[in-house]
Short mmCIF file of all heavy atoms in Angstrom, two decimals:
data_model
loop_
_atom_site.label_atom_id
_atom_site.label_comp_id
_atom_site.label_asym_id
_atom_site.label_seq_id
_atom_site.Cartn_x
_atom_site.Cartn_y
_atom_site.Cartn_z
N ASN X 1 1.18 15.28 -1.35
CA ASN X 1 1.04 16.61 -1.56
C ASN X 1 2.17 17.39 -0.91
O ASN X 1 3.07 16.83 -0.36
CB ASN X 1 -0.40 17.13 -1.03
CG ASN X 1 -0.51 16.93 0.48
OD1 ASN X 1 0.50 16.92 1.25
ND2 ASN X 1 -1.66 16.76 0.94
N ASN X 2 2.16 18.72 -1.15
CA ASN X 2 3.31 19.51 -0.66
C ASN X 2 3.41 19.75 0.79
O ASN X 2 4.31 20.34 1.32
CB ASN X 2 3.28 20.94 -1.39
CG ASN X 2 2.17 21.87 -0.97
OD1 ASN X 2 1.21 21.42 -0.42
ND2 ASN X 2 2.35 23.16 -1.24
N ARG X 3 2.41 19.17 1.54
CA ARG X 3 2.42 19.20 3.00
C ARG X 3 3.01 17.82 3.61
O ARG X 3 2.94 17.66 4.81
CB ARG X 3 0.97 19.45 3.62
CG ARG X 3 0.53 20.90 3.56
CD ARG X 3 -0.19 21.23 2.27
NE ARG X 3 -1.45 20.52 2.20
CZ ARG X 3 -2.05 20.27 1.00
NH1 ARG X 3 -1.48 20.62 -0.06
NH2 ARG X 3 -3.22 19.66 1.00
N GLY X 4 3.49 17.02 2.72
CA GLY X 4 4.06 15.75 3.15
C GLY X 4 3.10 14.67 3.47
O GLY X 4 3.52 13.72 4.23
N ARG X 5 1.82 14.81 3.07
CA ARG X 5 0.84 13.81 3.30
C ARG X 5 0.40 13.05 2.06
O ARG X 5 0.46 13.72 1.01
CB ARG X 5 -0.35 14.42 4.03
CG ARG X 5 -0.02 15.04 5.46
CD ARG X 5 -1.14 15.74 5.99
NE ARG X 5 -0.78 16.27 7.41
CZ ARG X 5 -0.94 15.71 8.50
NH1 ARG X 5 -1.53 14.46 8.53
NH2 ARG X 5 -0.61 16.23 9.64
N LEU X 6 -0.11 11.90 2.22
CA LEU X 6 -0.66 11.25 1.03
C LEU X 6 -1.79 11.98 0.51
O LEU X 6 -2.68 12.49 1.22
CB LEU X 6 -1.08 9.80 1.49
CG LEU X 6 -1.11 8.72 0.33
CD1 LEU X 6 0.29 8.46 -0.14
CD2 LEU X 6 -1.67 7.40 0.85
N SER X 7 -1.82 12.18 -0.86
CA SER X 7 -2.91 12.97 -1.41
C SER X 7 -4.24 12.38 -1.16
O SER X 7 -4.39 11.08 -1.14
CB SER X 7 -2.70 13.06 -2.97
OG SER X 7 -1.58 13.71 -3.27
N ASP X 8 -5.34 13.16 -1.03
CA ASP X 8 -6.59 12.61 -0.71
C ASP X 8 -7.11 11.57 -1.80
O ASP X 8 -7.82 10.70 -1.51
CB ASP X 8 -7.69 13.71 -0.51
CG ASP X 8 -7.46 14.63 0.69
OD1 ASP X 8 -6.78 14.04 1.58
OD2 ASP X 8 -7.92 15.72 0.78
N PHE X 9 -6.72 11.86 -3.03
CA PHE X 9 -7.21 11.06 -4.12
C PHE X 9 -6.39 9.81 -4.27
O PHE X 9 -6.82 8.85 -4.92
CB PHE X 9 -7.24 11.73 -5.43
CG PHE X 9 -5.84 12.32 -5.88
CD1 PHE X 9 -4.88 11.53 -6.33
CD2 PHE X 9 -5.61 13.70 -5.65
CE1 PHE X 9 -3.69 12.09 -6.71
CE2 PHE X 9 -4.45 14.21 -6.03
CZ PHE X 9 -3.37 13.42 -6.50
N SER X 10 -5.22 9.65 -3.66
CA SER X 10 -4.30 8.63 -3.94
C SER X 10 -4.78 7.31 -3.44
O SER X 10 -5.28 7.24 -2.18
CB SER X 10 -2.90 8.84 -3.41
OG SER X 10 -2.03 7.90 -3.64
N ASN X 11 -4.66 6.23 -4.14
CA ASN X 11 -4.83 4.85 -3.63
C ASN X 11 -3.72 4.60 -2.60
O ASN X 11 -2.68 5.26 -2.66
CB ASN X 11 -4.90 3.77 -4.66
CG ASN X 11 -6.18 3.82 -5.44
OD1 ASN X 11 -7.01 4.76 -5.35
ND2 ASN X 11 -6.25 2.90 -6.41
N TYR X 12 -3.88 3.66 -1.72
CA TYR X 12 -3.01 3.36 -0.72
C TYR X 12 -3.00 1.84 -0.47
O TYR X 12 -3.65 1.20 -1.08
CB TYR X 12 -3.32 4.16 0.59
CG TYR X 12 -4.75 3.89 1.12
CD1 TYR X 12 -4.97 2.88 2.01
CD2 TYR X 12 -5.82 4.60 0.60
CE1 TYR X 12 -6.29 2.64 2.49
CE2 TYR X 12 -7.10 4.46 1.06
CZ TYR X 12 -7.38 3.51 2.03
OH TYR X 12 -8.58 3.21 2.44
N GLY X 13 -2.20 1.42 0.46
CA GLY X 13 -2.19 -0.01 0.79
C GLY X 13 -0.90 -0.32 1.60
O GLY X 13 0.35 -0.11 1.10
N ARG X 14 -1.02 -0.77 2.80
CA ARG X 14 0.21 -1.10 3.64
C ARG X 14 1.08 -2.11 3.10
O ARG X 14 2.20 -2.26 3.36
CB ARG X 14 -0.25 -1.48 5.01
CG ARG X 14 -0.92 -0.37 5.85
CD ARG X 14 0.01 0.69 6.35
NE ARG X 14 1.02 0.17 7.23
CZ ARG X 14 2.38 0.19 7.12
NH1 ARG X 14 2.89 0.76 5.97
NH2 ARG X 14 3.17 -0.23 7.99
N TYR X 15 0.55 -2.92 2.25
CA TYR X 15 1.28 -3.99 1.64
C TYR X 15 1.34 -3.99 0.09
O TYR X 15 1.92 -4.90 -0.51
CB TYR X 15 0.75 -5.37 2.12
CG TYR X 15 0.61 -5.39 3.70
CD1 TYR X 15 -0.67 -5.27 4.22
CD2 TYR X 15 1.69 -5.63 4.45
CE1 TYR X 15 -0.77 -5.36 5.65
CE2 TYR X 15 1.57 -5.63 5.73
CZ TYR X 15 0.28 -5.44 6.42
OH TYR X 15 0.19 -5.45 7.76
N SER X 16 0.65 -3.06 -0.56
CA SER X 16 0.56 -3.08 -1.96
C SER X 16 1.03 -1.79 -2.67
O SER X 16 1.31 -1.82 -3.83
CB SER X 16 -0.90 -3.41 -2.37
OG SER X 16 -1.78 -2.45 -1.79
N VAL X 17 1.12 -0.70 -1.92
CA VAL X 17 1.76 0.52 -2.41
C VAL X 17 3.13 0.71 -1.87
O VAL X 17 3.18 0.93 -0.68
CB VAL X 17 0.75 1.71 -2.28
CG1 VAL X 17 1.36 3.03 -2.78
CG2 VAL X 17 -0.55 1.53 -2.82
N ASP X 18 4.08 0.77 -2.68
CA ASP X 18 5.48 0.76 -2.18
C ASP X 18 6.00 1.99 -1.64
O ASP X 18 6.60 2.11 -0.54
CB ASP X 18 6.36 0.20 -3.23
CG ASP X 18 6.08 -1.20 -3.71
OD1 ASP X 18 5.81 -2.07 -2.82
OD2 ASP X 18 6.06 -1.45 -4.91
N VAL X 19 5.79 3.09 -2.38
CA VAL X 19 6.40 4.41 -2.02
C VAL X 19 5.51 5.51 -2.43
O VAL X 19 4.55 5.23 -3.24
CB VAL X 19 7.80 4.62 -2.64
CG1 VAL X 19 8.76 3.64 -2.15
CG2 VAL X 19 7.79 4.59 -4.17
N ALA X 20 5.75 6.69 -1.96
CA ALA X 20 5.04 7.89 -2.49
C ALA X 20 6.03 8.78 -3.07
O ALA X 20 7.22 8.80 -2.76
CB ALA X 20 4.25 8.56 -1.25
N ALA X 21 5.42 9.71 -3.91
CA ALA X 21 6.25 10.78 -4.53
C ALA X 21 5.29 11.92 -4.83
O ALA X 21 4.14 11.80 -4.80
CB ALA X 21 6.90 10.32 -5.92
N PRO X 22 5.97 13.17 -5.08
CA PRO X 22 5.01 14.34 -5.36
C PRO X 22 4.04 14.05 -6.55
O PRO X 22 4.59 13.69 -7.55
CB PRO X 22 6.05 15.44 -5.72
CG PRO X 22 7.16 15.07 -4.84
CD PRO X 22 7.36 13.51 -5.00
N GLY X 23 2.74 14.28 -6.32
CA GLY X 23 1.87 14.02 -7.46
C GLY X 23 0.70 15.01 -7.48
O GLY X 23 -0.21 14.84 -8.35
N GLU X 24 0.73 15.99 -6.64
CA GLU X 24 -0.34 16.91 -6.55
C GLU X 24 0.14 18.32 -7.00
O GLU X 24 1.06 18.81 -6.48
CB GLU X 24 -0.93 16.94 -5.05
CG GLU X 24 -2.22 17.63 -5.07
CD GLU X 24 -2.83 17.30 -3.49
OE1 GLU X 24 -2.58 16.21 -3.04
OE2 GLU X 24 -3.68 18.18 -3.19
N ASN X 25 -0.52 18.96 -7.97
CA ASN X 25 -0.22 20.22 -8.46
C ASN X 25 1.22 20.22 -9.02
O ASN X 25 2.02 20.99 -8.56
CB ASN X 25 -0.48 21.30 -7.36
CG ASN X 25 -1.98 21.48 -7.01
OD1 ASN X 25 -2.76 21.46 -7.90
ND2 ASN X 25 -2.19 21.54 -5.72
N ILE X 26 1.46 19.38 -9.93
CA ILE X 26 2.86 19.21 -10.55
C ILE X 26 2.94 19.94 -11.83
O ILE X 26 2.16 19.67 -12.79
CB ILE X 26 3.12 17.68 -10.72
CG1 ILE X 26 3.04 16.98 -9.37
CG2 ILE X 26 4.54 17.57 -11.27
CD1 ILE X 26 3.99 17.46 -8.21
#
């Protein structure tokens, strides 16, 4: 999100999700 945090809805994973990018209110 625009506060620099992983979006609440986003899946995550220390070993399976590689990077993040803006995806909230785009």
Side-chain angles (χ1 to χ4, degrees):
N1 61 30
N2 70 341
R3 281 92 65 203
R5 296 174 180 268
L6 207 65
S7 299
D8 290 340
F9 57 77
S10 179
N11 287 6
Y12 55 94
R14 291 290 294 123
Y15 307 104
S16 56
V17 179
D18 297 317
V19 296
E24 195 166 331
N25 295 318
I26 302 301

